PDB file of all heavy atoms in Angstrom:
ATOM      1  N   GLN A1425      13.550 -17.708   5.130  1.00 98.00           N
ATOM      2  CA  GLN A1425      14.762 -16.867   5.142  1.00 98.00           C
ATOM      3  C   GLN A1425      14.788 -15.959   6.337  1.00 98.00           C
ATOM      4  O   GLN A1425      13.847 -15.309   6.700  1.00 98.00           O
ATOM      5  CB  GLN A1425      14.805 -16.026   3.794  1.00 98.00           C
ATOM      6  CG  GLN A1425      14.983 -16.880   2.600  1.00 98.00           C
ATOM      7  CD  GLN A1425      16.269 -17.744   2.674  1.00 98.00           C
ATOM      8  OE1 GLN A1425      17.390 -17.304   2.757  1.00 98.00           O
ATOM      9  NE2 GLN A1425      16.056 -19.087   2.617  1.00 98.00           N
ATOM     10  N   GLN A1426      15.958 -15.782   6.904  1.00 98.00           N
ATOM     11  CA  GLN A1426      16.213 -15.022   8.112  1.00 98.00           C
ATOM     12  C   GLN A1426      16.124 -13.505   7.845  1.00 98.00           C
ATOM     13  O   GLN A1426      16.420 -13.021   6.741  1.00 98.00           O
ATOM     14  CB  GLN A1426      17.615 -15.372   8.606  1.00 98.00           C
ATOM     15  CG  GLN A1426      18.053 -14.591   9.836  1.00 98.00           C
ATOM     16  CD  GLN A1426      17.587 -15.180  11.169  1.00 98.00           C
ATOM     17  OE1 GLN A1426      16.540 -15.902  11.129  1.00 98.00           O
ATOM     18  NE2 GLN A1426      18.338 -15.018  12.217  1.00 98.00           N
ATOM     19  N   THR A1427      15.703 -12.778   8.830  1.00 98.00           N
ATOM     20  CA  THR A1427      15.671 -11.291   8.698  1.00 98.00           C
ATOM     21  C   THR A1427      16.316 -10.659   9.926  1.00 98.00           C
ATOM     22  O   THR A1427      16.637 -11.276  10.962  1.00 98.00           O
ATOM     23  CB  THR A1427      14.236 -10.737   8.518  1.00 98.00           C
ATOM     24  OG1 THR A1427      13.530 -10.831   9.851  1.00 98.00           O
ATOM     25  CG2 THR A1427      13.484 -11.542   7.571  1.00 98.00           C
ATOM     26  N   VAL A1428      16.471  -9.338   9.896  1.00 98.00           N
ATOM     27  CA  VAL A1428      17.142  -8.614  11.009  1.00 98.00           C
ATOM     28  C   VAL A1428      16.469  -8.650  12.352  1.00 98.00           C
ATOM     29  O   VAL A1428      17.116  -8.492  13.389  1.00 98.00           O
ATOM     30  CB  VAL A1428      17.405  -7.121  10.611  1.00 98.00           C
ATOM     31  CG1 VAL A1428      18.460  -6.949   9.570  1.00 98.00           C
ATOM     32  CG2 VAL A1428      16.104  -6.443  10.286  1.00 98.00           C
ATOM     33  N   ASN A1429      15.166  -8.929  12.378  1.00 98.00           N
ATOM     34  CA  ASN A1429      14.513  -8.986  13.705  1.00 98.00           C
ATOM     35  C   ASN A1429      14.668 -10.370  14.326  1.00 98.00           C
ATOM     36  O   ASN A1429      14.089 -10.596  15.430  1.00 98.00           O
ATOM     37  CB  ASN A1429      13.077  -8.517  13.668  1.00 98.00           C
ATOM     38  CG  ASN A1429      12.159  -9.504  12.935  1.00 98.00           C
ATOM     39  OD1 ASN A1429      12.605 -10.408  12.253  1.00 98.00           O
ATOM     40  ND2 ASN A1429      10.849  -9.224  13.003  1.00 98.00           N
ATOM     41  N   GLY A1430      15.350 -11.241  13.667  1.00 97.00           N
ATOM     42  CA  GLY A1430      15.592 -12.601  14.280  1.00 97.00           C
ATOM     43  C   GLY A1430      14.513 -13.577  13.881  1.00 97.00           C
ATOM     44  O   GLY A1430      14.663 -14.749  14.234  1.00 97.00           O
ATOM     45  N   ARG A1431      13.558 -13.091  13.180  1.00 98.00           N
ATOM     46  CA  ARG A1431      12.492 -14.008  12.722  1.00 98.00           C
ATOM     47  C   ARG A1431      12.546 -14.239  11.224  1.00 98.00           C
ATOM     48  O   ARG A1431      13.261 -13.544  10.482  1.00 98.00           O
ATOM     49  CB  ARG A1431      11.094 -13.402  13.075  1.00 98.00           C
ATOM     50  CG  ARG A1431      10.822 -13.151  14.514  1.00 98.00           C
ATOM     51  CD  ARG A1431       9.426 -12.711  14.761  1.00 98.00           C
ATOM     52  NE  ARG A1431       9.200 -12.368  16.188  1.00 98.00           N
ATOM     53  CZ  ARG A1431       9.319 -11.180  16.751  1.00 98.00           C
ATOM     54  NH1 ARG A1431       9.716 -10.144  16.001  1.00 98.00           N
ATOM     55  NH2 ARG A1431       9.136 -11.032  18.085  1.00 98.00           N
ATOM     56  N   SER A1432      11.836 -15.223  10.703  1.00 98.00           N
ATOM     57  CA  SER A1432      11.882 -15.495   9.338  1.00 98.00           C
ATOM     58  C   SER A1432      10.961 -14.580   8.547  1.00 98.00           C
ATOM     59  O   SER A1432      10.057 -13.912   9.090  1.00 98.00           O
ATOM     60  CB  SER A1432      11.489 -16.892   9.051  1.00 98.00           C
ATOM     61  OG  SER A1432      10.073 -17.111   9.333  1.00 98.00           O
ATOM     62  N   LEU A1433      11.165 -14.533   7.268  1.00 98.00           N
ATOM     63  CA  LEU A1433      10.231 -13.715   6.424  1.00 98.00           C
ATOM     64  C   LEU A1433       8.780 -14.193   6.543  1.00 98.00           C
ATOM     65  O   LEU A1433       7.900 -13.380   6.688  1.00 98.00           O
ATOM     66  CB  LEU A1433      10.646 -13.749   4.917  1.00 98.00           C
ATOM     67  CG  LEU A1433       9.875 -13.019   3.932  1.00 98.00           C
ATOM     68  CD1 LEU A1433       9.924 -11.540   4.131  1.00 98.00           C
ATOM     69  CD2 LEU A1433      10.227 -13.454   2.510  1.00 98.00           C
ATOM     70  N   GLY A1434       8.590 -15.489   6.571  1.00 98.00           N
ATOM     71  CA  GLY A1434       7.279 -16.045   6.704  1.00 98.00           C
ATOM     72  C   GLY A1434       6.625 -15.594   8.056  1.00 98.00           C
ATOM     73  O   GLY A1434       5.469 -15.227   8.050  1.00 98.00           O
ATOM     74  N   GLU A1435       7.383 -15.647   9.116  1.00 98.00           N
ATOM     75  CA  GLU A1435       6.816 -15.161  10.389  1.00 98.00           C
ATOM     76  C   GLU A1435       6.520 -13.697  10.374  1.00 98.00           C
ATOM     77  O   GLU A1435       5.546 -13.254  11.003  1.00 98.00           O
ATOM     78  CB  GLU A1435       7.853 -15.417  11.523  1.00 98.00           C
ATOM     79  CG  GLU A1435       8.057 -16.956  11.815  1.00 98.00           C
ATOM     80  CD  GLU A1435       9.236 -17.160  12.806  1.00 98.00           C
ATOM     81  OE1 GLU A1435      10.269 -16.517  12.637  1.00 98.00           O
ATOM     82  OE2 GLU A1435       9.053 -17.998  13.670  1.00 98.00           O
ATOM     83  N   ASN A1436       7.315 -12.905   9.701  1.00 98.00           N
ATOM     84  CA  ASN A1436       7.126 -11.462   9.669  1.00 98.00           C
ATOM     85  C   ASN A1436       5.846 -11.017   8.828  1.00 98.00           C
ATOM     86  O   ASN A1436       5.288  -9.965   9.071  1.00 98.00           O
ATOM     87  CB  ASN A1436       8.339 -10.701   9.042  1.00 98.00           C
ATOM     88  CG  ASN A1436       9.469 -10.673  10.054  1.00 98.00           C
ATOM     89  OD1 ASN A1436       9.352 -10.856  11.249  1.00 98.00           O
ATOM     90  ND2 ASN A1436      10.636 -10.471   9.505  1.00 98.00           N
ATOM     91  N   ILE A1437       5.377 -11.800   7.873  1.00 98.00           N
ATOM     92  CA  ILE A1437       4.249 -11.484   7.076  1.00 98.00           C
ATOM     93  C   ILE A1437       2.997 -12.180   7.562  1.00 98.00           C
ATOM     94  O   ILE A1437       1.897 -11.933   7.094  1.00 98.00           O
ATOM     95  CB  ILE A1437       4.447 -11.749   5.657  1.00 98.00           C
ATOM     96  CG1 ILE A1437       4.621 -13.223   5.279  1.00 98.00           C
ATOM     97  CG2 ILE A1437       5.644 -10.915   5.129  1.00 98.00           C
ATOM     98  CD1 ILE A1437       4.679 -13.511   3.749  1.00 98.00           C
ATOM     99  N   GLU A1438       3.144 -13.025   8.574  1.00 97.00           N
ATOM    100  CA  GLU A1438       2.018 -13.833   9.101  1.00 97.00           C
ATOM    101  C   GLU A1438       0.951 -12.848   9.624  1.00 97.00           C
ATOM    102  O   GLU A1438       1.323 -11.991  10.445  1.00 97.00           O
ATOM    103  CB  GLU A1438       2.459 -14.813  10.137  1.00 97.00           C
ATOM    104  CG  GLU A1438       1.313 -15.732  10.593  1.00 97.00           C
ATOM    105  CD  GLU A1438       1.861 -16.780  11.576  1.00 97.00           C
ATOM    106  OE1 GLU A1438       3.128 -16.834  11.755  1.00 97.00           O
ATOM    107  OE2 GLU A1438       1.073 -17.493  12.151  1.00 97.00           O
ATOM    108  N   GLY A1439      -0.212 -12.984   9.278  1.00 96.00           N
ATOM    109  CA  GLY A1439      -1.347 -12.147   9.728  1.00 96.00           C
ATOM    110  C   GLY A1439      -1.486 -10.867   8.983  1.00 96.00           C
ATOM    111  O   GLY A1439      -2.476 -10.111   9.251  1.00 96.00           O
ATOM    112  N   ALA A1440      -0.634 -10.575   7.991  1.00 98.00           N
ATOM    113  CA  ALA A1440      -0.743  -9.368   7.245  1.00 98.00           C
ATOM    114  C   ALA A1440      -2.053  -9.472   6.337  1.00 98.00           C
ATOM    115  O   ALA A1440      -2.392 -10.603   5.863  1.00 98.00           O
ATOM    116  CB  ALA A1440       0.450  -9.167   6.388  1.00 98.00           C
ATOM    117  N   ARG A1441      -2.640  -8.328   6.074  1.00 98.00           N
ATOM    118  CA  ARG A1441      -3.904  -8.325   5.288  1.00 98.00           C
ATOM    119  C   ARG A1441      -3.835  -7.275   4.191  1.00 98.00           C
ATOM    120  O   ARG A1441      -3.071  -6.305   4.304  1.00 98.00           O
ATOM    121  CB  ARG A1441      -5.089  -8.015   6.211  1.00 98.00           C
ATOM    122  CG  ARG A1441      -5.319  -9.105   7.278  1.00 98.00           C
ATOM    123  CD  ARG A1441      -6.322  -8.619   8.336  1.00 98.00           C
ATOM    124  NE  ARG A1441      -7.578  -8.215   7.800  1.00 98.00           N
ATOM    125  CZ  ARG A1441      -8.463  -7.428   8.462  1.00 98.00           C
ATOM    126  NH1 ARG A1441      -8.232  -6.981   9.630  1.00 98.00           N
ATOM    127  NH2 ARG A1441      -9.556  -7.060   7.856  1.00 98.00           N
ATOM    128  N   VAL A1442      -4.732  -7.421   3.166  1.00 98.00           N
ATOM    129  CA  VAL A1442      -4.881  -6.408   2.138  1.00 98.00           C
ATOM    130  C   VAL A1442      -6.228  -5.710   2.329  1.00 98.00           C
ATOM    131  O   VAL A1442      -7.255  -6.426   2.542  1.00 98.00           O
ATOM    132  CB  VAL A1442      -4.826  -7.091   0.768  1.00 98.00           C
ATOM    133  CG1 VAL A1442      -5.204  -6.107  -0.324  1.00 98.00           C
ATOM    134  CG2 VAL A1442      -3.426  -7.646   0.511  1.00 98.00           C
ATOM    135  N   PHE A1443      -6.236  -4.445   2.321  1.00 98.00           N
ATOM    136  CA  PHE A1443      -7.436  -3.688   2.708  1.00 98.00           C
ATOM    137  C   PHE A1443      -8.095  -3.033   1.458  1.00 98.00           C
ATOM    138  O   PHE A1443      -9.172  -2.445   1.525  1.00 98.00           O
ATOM    139  CB  PHE A1443      -7.149  -2.595   3.710  1.00 98.00           C
ATOM    140  CG  PHE A1443      -6.568  -3.183   4.921  1.00 98.00           C
ATOM    141  CD1 PHE A1443      -5.202  -3.063   5.234  1.00 98.00           C
ATOM    142  CD2 PHE A1443      -7.370  -3.930   5.827  1.00 98.00           C
ATOM    143  CE1 PHE A1443      -4.691  -3.587   6.331  1.00 98.00           C
ATOM    144  CE2 PHE A1443      -6.827  -4.416   6.980  1.00 98.00           C
ATOM    145  CZ  PHE A1443      -5.474  -4.308   7.226  1.00 98.00           C
ATOM    146  N   ASN A1444      -7.465  -3.131   0.250  1.00 98.00           N
ATOM    147  CA  ASN A1444      -7.969  -2.569  -0.933  1.00 98.00           C
ATOM    148  C   ASN A1444      -7.472  -3.430  -2.140  1.00 98.00           C
ATOM    149  O   ASN A1444      -6.329  -3.336  -2.528  1.00 98.00           O
ATOM    150  CB  ASN A1444      -7.512  -1.131  -1.103  1.00 98.00           C
ATOM    151  CG  ASN A1444      -8.200  -0.456  -2.274  1.00 98.00           C
ATOM    152  OD1 ASN A1444      -8.605  -1.023  -3.273  1.00 98.00           O
ATOM    153  ND2 ASN A1444      -8.338   0.909  -2.137  1.00 98.00           N
ATOM    154  N   ASP A1445      -8.435  -4.196  -2.673  1.00 98.00           N
ATOM    155  CA  ASP A1445      -8.089  -5.143  -3.780  1.00 98.00           C
ATOM    156  C   ASP A1445      -7.838  -4.482  -5.060  1.00 98.00           C
ATOM    157  O   ASP A1445      -7.424  -5.059  -6.017  1.00 98.00           O
ATOM    158  CB  ASP A1445      -9.189  -6.170  -3.860  1.00 98.00           C
ATOM    159  CG  ASP A1445      -9.191  -7.208  -2.857  1.00 98.00           C
ATOM    160  OD1 ASP A1445      -8.143  -7.403  -2.206  1.00 98.00           O
ATOM    161  OD2 ASP A1445     -10.245  -7.822  -2.604  1.00 98.00           O
ATOM    162  N   ASP A1446      -8.121  -3.133  -5.166  1.00 98.00           N
ATOM    163  CA  ASP A1446      -7.762  -2.459  -6.396  1.00 98.00           C
ATOM    164  C   ASP A1446      -6.368  -1.882  -6.397  1.00 98.00           C
ATOM    165  O   ASP A1446      -5.857  -1.578  -7.426  1.00 98.00           O
ATOM    166  CB  ASP A1446      -8.834  -1.314  -6.632  1.00 98.00           C
ATOM    167  CG  ASP A1446      -8.790  -0.826  -8.031  1.00 98.00           C
ATOM    168  OD1 ASP A1446      -8.641  -1.631  -8.965  1.00 98.00           O
ATOM    169  OD2 ASP A1446      -8.886   0.419  -8.352  1.00 98.00           O
ATOM    170  N   VAL A1447      -5.767  -1.788  -5.210  1.00 98.00           N
ATOM    171  CA  VAL A1447      -4.390  -1.352  -5.147  1.00 98.00           C
ATOM    172  C   VAL A1447      -3.392  -2.550  -5.137  1.00 98.00           C
ATOM    173  O   VAL A1447      -2.474  -2.539  -5.837  1.00 98.00           O
ATOM    174  CB  VAL A1447      -4.135  -0.512  -3.902  1.00 98.00           C
ATOM    175  CG1 VAL A1447      -2.717  -0.057  -3.741  1.00 98.00           C
ATOM    176  CG2 VAL A1447      -5.082   0.729  -3.814  1.00 98.00           C
ATOM    177  N   ILE A1448      -3.693  -3.579  -4.229  1.00 98.00           N
ATOM    178  CA  ILE A1448      -2.939  -4.807  -4.289  1.00 98.00           C
ATOM    179  C   ILE A1448      -3.891  -5.809  -4.851  1.00 98.00           C
ATOM    180  O   ILE A1448      -4.820  -6.285  -4.106  1.00 98.00           O
ATOM    181  CB  ILE A1448      -2.436  -5.153  -2.912  1.00 98.00           C
ATOM    182  CG1 ILE A1448      -1.618  -4.029  -2.327  1.00 98.00           C
ATOM    183  CG2 ILE A1448      -1.610  -6.433  -2.949  1.00 98.00           C
ATOM    184  CD1 ILE A1448      -1.175  -4.185  -0.869  1.00 98.00           C
ATOM    185  N   LEU A1449      -3.669  -6.194  -6.090  1.00 98.00           N
ATOM    186  CA  LEU A1449      -4.713  -7.057  -6.798  1.00 98.00           C
ATOM    187  C   LEU A1449      -4.619  -8.452  -6.356  1.00 98.00           C
ATOM    188  O   LEU A1449      -3.585  -8.979  -6.020  1.00 98.00           O
ATOM    189  CB  LEU A1449      -4.383  -6.900  -8.332  1.00 98.00           C
ATOM    190  CG  LEU A1449      -4.482  -5.534  -8.898  1.00 98.00           C
ATOM    191  CD1 LEU A1449      -3.818  -5.439 -10.281  1.00 98.00           C
ATOM    192  CD2 LEU A1449      -5.890  -4.957  -9.023  1.00 98.00           C
ATOM    193  N   PRO A1450      -5.761  -9.138  -6.405  1.00 98.00           N
ATOM    194  CA  PRO A1450      -5.841 -10.546  -6.251  1.00 98.00           C
ATOM    195  C   PRO A1450      -4.976 -11.305  -7.277  1.00 98.00           C
ATOM    196  O   PRO A1450      -4.874 -10.816  -8.376  1.00 98.00           O
ATOM    197  CB  PRO A1450      -7.301 -10.908  -6.321  1.00 98.00           C
ATOM    198  CG  PRO A1450      -8.013  -9.601  -6.125  1.00 98.00           C
ATOM    199  CD  PRO A1450      -7.160  -8.590  -6.676  1.00 98.00           C
ATOM    200  N   ARG A1451      -4.405 -12.425  -6.943  1.00 97.00           N
ATOM    201  CA  ARG A1451      -3.591 -13.187  -7.901  1.00 97.00           C
ATOM    202  C   ARG A1451      -4.344 -13.497  -9.195  1.00 97.00           C
ATOM    203  O   ARG A1451      -3.758 -13.525 -10.288  1.00 97.00           O
ATOM    204  CB  ARG A1451      -3.104 -14.451  -7.258  1.00 97.00           C
ATOM    205  CG  ARG A1451      -2.014 -14.256  -6.161  1.00 97.00           C
ATOM    206  CD  ARG A1451      -0.621 -13.952  -6.828  1.00 97.00           C
ATOM    207  NE  ARG A1451      -0.150 -15.230  -7.437  1.00 97.00           N
ATOM    208  CZ  ARG A1451       0.483 -16.183  -6.829  1.00 97.00           C
ATOM    209  NH1 ARG A1451       0.738 -16.080  -5.568  1.00 97.00           N
ATOM    210  NH2 ARG A1451       0.948 -17.265  -7.504  1.00 97.00           N
ATOM    211  N   GLU A1452      -5.642 -13.746  -9.039  1.00 96.00           N
ATOM    212  CA  GLU A1452      -6.463 -14.221 -10.226  1.00 96.00           C
ATOM    213  C   GLU A1452      -6.790 -12.962 -11.119  1.00 96.00           C
ATOM    214  O   GLU A1452      -7.298 -13.176 -12.224  1.00 96.00           O
ATOM    215  CB  GLU A1452      -7.643 -14.928  -9.815  1.00 96.00           C
ATOM    216  CG  GLU A1452      -8.628 -14.192  -8.976  1.00 96.00           C
ATOM    217  CD  GLU A1452      -8.347 -14.282  -7.477  1.00 96.00           C
ATOM    218  OE1 GLU A1452      -7.188 -14.764  -7.124  1.00 96.00           O
ATOM    219  OE2 GLU A1452      -9.211 -13.941  -6.653  1.00 96.00           O
ATOM    220  N   GLN A1453      -6.496 -11.778 -10.656  1.00 97.00           N
ATOM    221  CA  GLN A1453      -6.795 -10.539 -11.459  1.00 97.00           C
ATOM    222  C   GLN A1453      -5.522  -9.699 -11.542  1.00 97.00           C
ATOM    223  O   GLN A1453      -5.583  -8.455 -11.115  1.00 97.00           O
ATOM    224  CB  GLN A1453      -8.002  -9.739 -10.842  1.00 97.00           C
ATOM    225  CG  GLN A1453      -9.266 -10.549 -10.855  1.00 97.00           C
ATOM    226  CD  GLN A1453     -10.402  -9.761 -10.145  1.00 97.00           C
ATOM    227  OE1 GLN A1453     -10.166  -9.024  -9.249  1.00 97.00           O
ATOM    228  NE2 GLN A1453     -11.593 -10.062 -10.507  1.00 97.00           N
ATOM    229  N   PRO A1454      -4.470 -10.152 -12.001  1.00 97.00           N
ATOM    230  CA  PRO A1454      -3.220  -9.331 -11.954  1.00 97.00           C
ATOM    231  C   PRO A1454      -3.203  -8.263 -12.963  1.00 97.00           C
ATOM    232  O   PRO A1454      -4.002  -8.305 -13.998  1.00 97.00           O
ATOM    233  CB  PRO A1454      -2.095 -10.383 -12.257  1.00 97.00           C
ATOM    234  CG  PRO A1454      -2.806 -11.395 -13.187  1.00 97.00           C
ATOM    235  CD  PRO A1454      -4.235 -11.402 -12.689  1.00 97.00           C
ATOM    236  N   LEU A1455      -2.346  -7.248 -12.733  1.00 94.00           N
ATOM    237  CA  LEU A1455      -2.151  -6.236 -13.807  1.00 94.00           C
ATOM    238  C   LEU A1455      -1.492  -6.847 -15.036  1.00 94.00           C
ATOM    239  O   LEU A1455      -1.796  -6.471 -16.151  1.00 94.00           O
ATOM    240  CB  LEU A1455      -1.242  -5.139 -13.195  1.00 94.00           C
ATOM    241  CG  LEU A1455      -1.222  -3.739 -13.888  1.00 94.00           C
ATOM    242  CD1 LEU A1455      -2.566  -3.097 -13.726  1.00 94.00           C
ATOM    243  CD2 LEU A1455      -0.125  -2.903 -13.202  1.00 94.00           C
ATOM    244  N   LEU A1456      -0.660  -7.753 -14.790  1.00 92.00           N
ATOM    245  CA  LEU A1456       0.011  -8.580 -15.838  1.00 92.00           C
ATOM    246  C   LEU A1456       0.253  -9.973 -15.295  1.00 92.00           C
ATOM    247  O   LEU A1456       0.764 -10.036 -14.210  1.00 92.00           O
ATOM    248  CB  LEU A1456       1.385  -7.853 -16.210  1.00 92.00           C
ATOM    249  CG  LEU A1456       2.001  -8.228 -17.550  1.00 92.00           C
ATOM    250  CD1 LEU A1456       1.157  -7.690 -18.743  1.00 92.00           C
ATOM    251  CD2 LEU A1456       3.397  -7.553 -17.629  1.00 92.00           C
ATOM    252  N   ALA A1457      -0.113 -10.946 -16.114  1.00 95.00           N
ATOM    253  CA  ALA A1457      -0.035 -12.328 -15.572  1.00 95.00           C
ATOM    254  C   ALA A1457       1.507 -12.746 -15.284  1.00 95.00           C
ATOM    255  O   ALA A1457       1.740 -13.552 -14.440  1.00 95.00           O
ATOM    256  CB  ALA A1457      -0.614 -13.310 -16.568  1.00 95.00           C
ATOM    257  N   SER A1458       2.405 -12.200 -16.099  1.00 94.00           N
ATOM    258  CA  SER A1458       3.833 -12.480 -15.881  1.00 94.00           C
ATOM    259  C   SER A1458       4.609 -11.475 -16.771  1.00 94.00           C
ATOM    260  O   SER A1458       3.992 -10.686 -17.506  1.00 94.00           O
ATOM    261  CB  SER A1458       4.185 -13.874 -16.280  1.00 94.00           C
ATOM    262  OG  SER A1458       3.947 -14.172 -17.625  1.00 94.00           O
ATOM    263  N   GLY A1459       5.905 -11.466 -16.623  1.00 90.00           N
ATOM    264  CA  GLY A1459       6.761 -10.638 -17.458  1.00 90.00           C
ATOM    265  C   GLY A1459       6.786  -9.156 -17.053  1.00 90.00           C
ATOM    266  O   GLY A1459       6.794  -8.324 -17.939  1.00 90.00           O
ATOM    267  N   GLY A1460       6.770  -8.886 -15.823  1.00 91.00           N
ATOM    268  CA  GLY A1460       6.931  -7.546 -15.377  1.00 91.00           C
ATOM    269  C   GLY A1460       8.188  -6.832 -15.891  1.00 91.00           C
ATOM    270  O   GLY A1460       8.301  -5.601 -16.137  1.00 91.00           O
ATOM    271  N   LEU A1461       9.230  -7.647 -16.016  1.00 94.00           N
ATOM    272  CA  LEU A1461      10.480  -7.233 -16.661  1.00 94.00           C
ATOM    273  C   LEU A1461      10.891  -8.362 -17.614  1.00 94.00           C
ATOM    274  O   LEU A1461      10.450  -9.557 -17.428  1.00 94.00           O
ATOM    275  CB  LEU A1461      11.669  -7.070 -15.651  1.00 94.00           C
ATOM    276  CG  LEU A1461      11.455  -6.029 -14.525  1.00 94.00           C
ATOM    277  CD1 LEU A1461      12.650  -6.115 -13.547  1.00 94.00           C
ATOM    278  CD2 LEU A1461      11.513  -4.623 -15.135  1.00 94.00           C
ATOM    279  N   ALA A1462      11.535  -8.037 -18.681  1.00 95.00           N
ATOM    280  CA  ALA A1462      11.981  -9.018 -19.552  1.00 95.00           C
ATOM    281  C   ALA A1462      13.447  -8.738 -19.989  1.00 95.00           C
ATOM    282  O   ALA A1462      13.839  -7.605 -20.224  1.00 95.00           O
ATOM    283  CB  ALA A1462      11.097  -8.985 -20.917  1.00 95.00           C
TER     284      ALA A1462
END
């Protein structure tokens, strides 16, 4: 998907990293497996 800087969303997040796994949880250890809203 296109964004305002002329690049795609995928290009814009390429190389991004997580520095604290307790704040941004790994997929296998979610706060809730699904159903954040219902």
Side-chain angles (χ1 to χ4, degrees):
Q1425 295 303 300
Q1426 176 84 334
T1427 74
V1428 290
N1429 71 349
R1431 301 185 182 94
S1432 69
L1433 178 67
E1435 290 172 318
N1436 285 341
I1437 65 174
E1438 188 175 352
R1441 297 166 56 197
V1442 173
F1443 304 105
N1444 187 331
D1445 285 338
D1446 197 39
V1447 178
I1448 303 174
L1449 301 165
R1451 287 280 292 276
E1452 60 271 16
Q1453 297 175 332
L1455 199 65
L1456 200 67
S1458 64
L1461 298 173

